[in-house]
DNA sequence: AAGTCTCCCAACCGCCTCCCA
DNA sequence: GTGGGAGGCGGTTGGGAGACT
């Protein structure tokens, strides 16, 4: 059995009170961030260090933006998620004033549903079989997919799709099958030519970081 | 108006990685 | 080289607020 991160006996759990917030802010203003495990001792807060860090990072930090996500932020999250998957901290790092928790929550509650509603598998960023078939048919007949036209979550270059086979860019998703989990996370990013094969750990300065700079 | 349901988001949990002795 | 401690991360949960019946 793994040792808990800190002694939870006598620790508060759940929502933070304004007094607790104030004590934590006072401490960080005086001593700066870090040494989270010292904070309960130093301040008398009945919170474990990890909880203090989380509260600061997700809620108390002065540079947090808060409020609704702008359209361009949504767009960027979708693109970055297609590129990086559930690496919320990396995604949040590209969104000034946003936290990984905020981005993750927003994705789970809004964006994944939004993508699903237009027939895109939010996990793999691929069209559903049904929509993919319609798209390919409509391209073949010279029509445009009404679903994509009305609901595309971010700009799709239809000419670019037409210039090659649509299936080169948009693979129908086997939603729920769990197959192809590990490949082609860039299927909605035809313009980025993303190669995730080299992206196992993503330290800064990797090829993926370079490609992210294109965004 | 009261009860139930649904959704959102803050917070927790446990695993992973990094760093240092 | 390695073991342990601390921080970081992503998945998950639970409570509260609003919507619905």
């Amino acid at each position: 059995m793994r040792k808990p991160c800190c002694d939870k006996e006598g620790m508060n759990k759940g929502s933070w009170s304004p007094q607790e917030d104030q004590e934590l802010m006072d401490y960080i203003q005086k001593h700066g961030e870090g040494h989270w495990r010292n904070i309960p001792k130093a301040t008398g807060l009945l919170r474990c260090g990890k909880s203090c860090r989380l509260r600061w990072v997700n809620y108390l930090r002065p540079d947090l933006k808060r409020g609704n996500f702008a359209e361009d932020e949504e767009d960027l999250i979708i693109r970055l998620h297609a590129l990086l998957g559930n690496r919320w901290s990396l995604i949040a790092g590209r969104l000034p004033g946003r936290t990984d928790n905020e981005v993750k929550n927003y994705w789970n509650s809004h964006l994944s549903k939004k993508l699903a509603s237009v027939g895109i598998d939010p996990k793999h960023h691929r069209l559903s079989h049904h929509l993919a078939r319609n798209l390919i048919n409509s391209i073949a007949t010279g029509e445009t997919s009404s679903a994509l036209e009305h609901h595309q979550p971010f700009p799709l270059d239809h000419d670019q799709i037409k210039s090659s086979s649509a299936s080169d860019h948009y693979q129908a998703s086997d939603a729920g099958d769990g197959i192809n989990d590990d490949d082609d996370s860039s299927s909605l990013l035809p313009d980025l030519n993303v190669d995730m094969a080299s992206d196992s750990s993503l330290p800064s300065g990797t090829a993926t970081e370079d490609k992210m700079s294109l965004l």
Side-chain angles (χ1 to χ4, degrees), chain A residues 44-160:
Chain A
L45 275 172
L46 296 175
R47 298 281 181 171
C48 84
K50 287 177 87 167
S51 185
C52 293
R53 177 189 158 270
L54 212 61
R55 183 65 179 171
W56 173 255
V57 166
N58 288 331
Y59 198 82
L60 298 176
R61 254 169 48 199
D63 58 329
L64 291 181
K65 198 183 273 181
R66 313 201 69 78
N68 293 340
F69 281 74
E71 255 183 60
D72 60 331
E73 287 179 305
E74 278 191 14
D75 182 81
L76 188 56
I77 292 170
I78 292 168
R79 286 171 177 270
L80 288 170
H81 188 270
L83 182 66
L84 301 167
N86 294 355
R87 290 183 162 99
W88 305 115
S89 59
L90 278 175
I91 295 172
R94 296 271 158 176
L95 292 157
R98 301 295 188 184
T99 70
D100 54 354
N101 209 33
E102 203 176 6
V103 171
K104 178 172 59 182
N105 282 335
Y106 192 69
W107 176 267
N108 287 330
S109 59
H110 293 92
L111 294 180
S112 65
K113 287 173 192 166
K114 200 170 176 178
L115 289 186
S117 75
V118 298
I120 295 169
D121 173 14
K123 189 176 172 191
H124 305 101
H125 293 261
R126 293 187 191 119
L127 297 182
S128 67
H129 278 307
H130 176 72
L131 199 65
R133 202 175 299 120
N134 285 350
L135 177 62
I136 291 165
N137 286 343
S138 63
I139 288 169
T141 59
E143 295 168 8
T144 311
S145 163
S146 60
L148 280 175
E149 202 148 61
H150 296 309
H151 300 294
Q152 54 180 270
F154 49 84
L156 297 172
D157 186 342
H158 289 193
D159 289 333
Q160 192 172 21

Side-chain angles (χ1 to χ4, degrees), chain A residues 10 12 31 77 83 153 165 184 198:
Chain A
N12 286 346
H31 301 93
I77 292 170
L83 182 66
S165 163
D184 196 16
S198 61

Side-chain angles (χ1 to χ4, degrees), chain A residues 158-185:
Chain A
H158 289 193
D159 289 333
Q160 192 172 21
I161 295 167
K162 285 184 190 178
S163 70
S164 59
S165 163
S167 58
D168 287 346
H169 295 299
Y170 295 92
Q171 297 181 2
S173 166
D174 292 301
D177 288 348
I179 51 179
N180 295 331
D181 277 2
D182 55 349
D183 66 354
D184 196 16
S185 45

